[in-house]
Amino acid sequence: MTDDFPLRDRVSMVTGAASGIGAACARLLAARGAPVLVTDLDEEGAAEVAAEITAAGGRARARRLDVTDPGAMEKAVSEATDLGGELRIAVNSAGINGPLKPLGAYPVTDFDNVIGVNLHGVFHALRHQLPAMVAAGGGAIVNLASIAAHSGFRDHGAYAAAKQGVLALTRTAAREYGGSGIRVLSVSPGLVDTPLVAALPPGATDGLLDAVPLRRPAQPEEVARLIGFLVSDDAAYLTGGDHVIDGGYLAK
Ligand code: NAI
């Protein structure tokens, strides 16, 4: 018999949860029984996702959180316990694209911003989520990386560098905290049908789908289902690895 609520009572937090992959993860974790702290820079969007979860019978609370603010991260992680227990699951999905420019023309401030959100943001999250999970006696964390970390990506130099850094932080955290019962993993999506991609300038993804054997972008729910598996007990022996979900884009 399968358990309809395999994540029952496992307090969870999701960053970047107002939109796209983060929102899909928040909904899926809640549907599987986890109380979810829905965090985002976009406070209104986070509140909408939390309200939707509550209306569907799940447990959720929304909170504004800028992942570049270490103090706010510390507070958010400690407030997760208000959901009824210690933090057991985290999905770090907050991310930005930055401008599309070749490295020779990439503005320094934009480089810093992209690294600030996509890499430092994950560091700030881990820095507080890991000790919280040590206190909880174990847990699972999934960080959003990207195929850009694997292949490099034209006009996305800062983004690719940040995502490669996310892989390194993930492996390091897995080595450091495996003994405390904490699994740390990353997921590298290819093209996913979210507002992040919709906001790219016209033509930015031209040709990309031709290189995807499945010939379509992923839906955010497909990425969330992979993440839902990774944080579950079915993935109890997985840690430190990156899990590519790209419709075959990186296949050689
Ligand atoms: P999205 O744009 O739909 O959602 C990202 C969320 O992050 C937004 O709600 C935004 O408000 C929030 N955010 C931005 N800056 C923030 C900050 N400083 N603090 C807190 N929240 C902040 O994007 P999507 O597509 O759901 O992306 C989620 C993650 O997946 C990102 O890390 C992205 O790099 C990664 N990814 C997305 C792919 C795609 O094709 N959509 C492909 C590969 C990776």
Side-chain angles (χ1 to χ4, degrees):
M1 223 171 69
T2 54
D3 182 356
D4 285 344
F5 302 103
L7 304 179
R8 190 191 302 271
D9 296 338
R10 291 190 202 175
V11 172
S12 304
M13 89 176 266
V14 182
T15 72
S19 175
I21 297 166
C25 286
R27 290 189 198 103
L28 180 136
L29 295 174
R32 295 190 180 174
V36 184
L37 185 63
V38 178
T39 75
D40 203 290
L41 191 58
D42 171 6
E43 190 171 12
E44 213 174 291
E48 278 170 27
V49 171
E52 223 180 276
I53 289 172
T54 311
R59 278 181 290 167
R61 181 176 291 197
R63 188 192 201 287
R64 182 184 186 278
L65 171 62
D66 180 346
V67 295
T68 66
D69 179 344
M73 180 65 76
E74 180 174 14
K75 228 165 152 246
V77 171
S78 73
E79 280 176 20
T81 54
D82 295 347
L83 283 159
E86 305 281 353
L87 184 69
R88 298 283 307 282
I89 293 171
V91 179
N92 296 317
S93 188
I96 55 172
N97 272 323
L100 268 58
K101 300 232 182 264
L103 286 168
Y106 208 96
V108 172
T109 49
D110 289 315
F111 192 91
D112 290 344
N113 280 343
V114 172
I115 298 289
V117 176
N118 294 5
L119 180 58
H120 294 198
V122 173
F123 164 63
H124 296 315
L126 291 173
R127 191 161 175 273
H128 294 290
Q129 291 162 353
L130 287 163
M133 288 186 191
V134 170
I141 302 175
V142 175
N143 299 317
L144 268 296
S146 164
I147 52 167
H150 296 265
S151 64
F153 230 58
R154 263 177 90 95
D155 298 335
H156 279 83
Y159 185 88
K163 295 300 189 182
Q164 179 64 247
V166 168
L167 300 187
L169 284 179
T170 301
R171 291 187 201 112
T172 301
R175 287 182 182 277
E176 290 173 344
Y177 287 86
S180 302
I182 302 169
R183 299 184 298 108
V184 191
L185 309 114
S186 57
V187 163
S188 283
L191 203 59
V192 188
D193 189 9
T194 71
L196 187 89
V197 170
L200 289 169
T205 56
D206 282 359
L208 200 60
L209 282 183
D210 294 338
V212 174
L214 292 182
R215 295 285 189 275
R216 66 170 178 88
Q219 292 305 307
E221 292 74 20
E222 294 180 296
V223 181
R225 283 197 289 274
L226 169 61
I227 293 172
F229 164 71
L230 291 174
V231 301
S232 78
D233 293 344
D234 287 338
Y237 201 61
L238 293 183
T239 194
D242 184 55
H243 300 267
V244 172
I245 174 164
D246 67 348
Y249 176 80
L250 292 177
K252 292 220 172 54

